[in-house]
Amino acid sequence: MAHRIIAQIVFTGSRVLGRAVVEAYRQAAASSKYAATAGKNNPSAAANLASAGLTLDEACKILNVRPPRAGKANMDDVLERFKKLFDLNDPGKGGSFYLQSKVLRARERIEMEVREREEAGEAERETTEGWNPKVYKDR
């Protein structure tokens, strides 16, 4: 009788473990398919998602600043909030390394968004006005 109970426990446990492994594989496959699709459509989107791990809204909420509008943000406010929160969460002063890294990633995400919008605006301006190389008269 005991061997029957032990066999049932082993069988049930292996079924549960097998289902968990199959579900994890499905999720990993779906995630890699999504990343590959995002990479084909917009090469920088996959890098942004992977490197930052934060949305722009989350980054703005972490630093308590307004989201950039039309590609412009008050970077002085962002840097001021970053310095304050980064110093407050210093592990040497009893802060949290996790929170400090979140603050750092939030600043990087906002800077990346502003930089991309500036580059897009510059490319747009160049296409409308034409390319004007900088020529120095003294050379």
Side-chain angles (χ1 to χ4, degrees), residues 117-129:
R117 296 232 178 131
E118 284 177 354
E119 289 172 357
E122 188 175 313
E124 179 70 26
R125 192 169 39 254
E126 188 174 292
T127 56
T128 57
E129 296 175 3

Side-chain angles (χ1 to χ4, degrees), residues 5-107:
I5 293 172
I6 292 173
Q8 282 182 335
I9 291 173
V10 169
F11 181 71
T12 305
S14 63
R15 263 182 46 195
V16 169
L17 183 64
R19 286 182 181 171
V21 168
V22 168
E23 184 62 30
Y25 177 76
R26 285 182 186 160
Q27 287 181 357
S31 177
S32 68
K33 185 184 279 186
Y34 174 76
T37 306
K40 287 179 185 175
N41 295 338
N42 186 2
S44 65
N48 292 349
L49 183 62
S51 67
L54 290 174
T55 64
L56 183 61
D57 292 333
E58 289 173 332
C60 292
K61 286 179 183 177
I62 289 171
L63 292 178
N64 195 22
V65 295
R66 291 185 176 171
R69 293 196 178 121
K72 296 187 180 185
N74 190 349
M75 292 308 290
D76 293 334
D77 287 345
V78 171
L79 289 176
E80 178 183 327
R81 294 291 300 159
F82 164 75
K83 287 178 185 177
K84 180 179 179 184
L85 292 172
F86 193 82
D87 290 340
L88 284 174
N89 291 303
D90 185 18
K93 298 176 184 174
S96 167
F97 178 74
Y98 174 77
L99 292 177
Q100 194 179 42
S101 66
K102 281 290 193 182
V103 169
L104 177 67
R105 298 292 171 239
R107 186 206 64 179

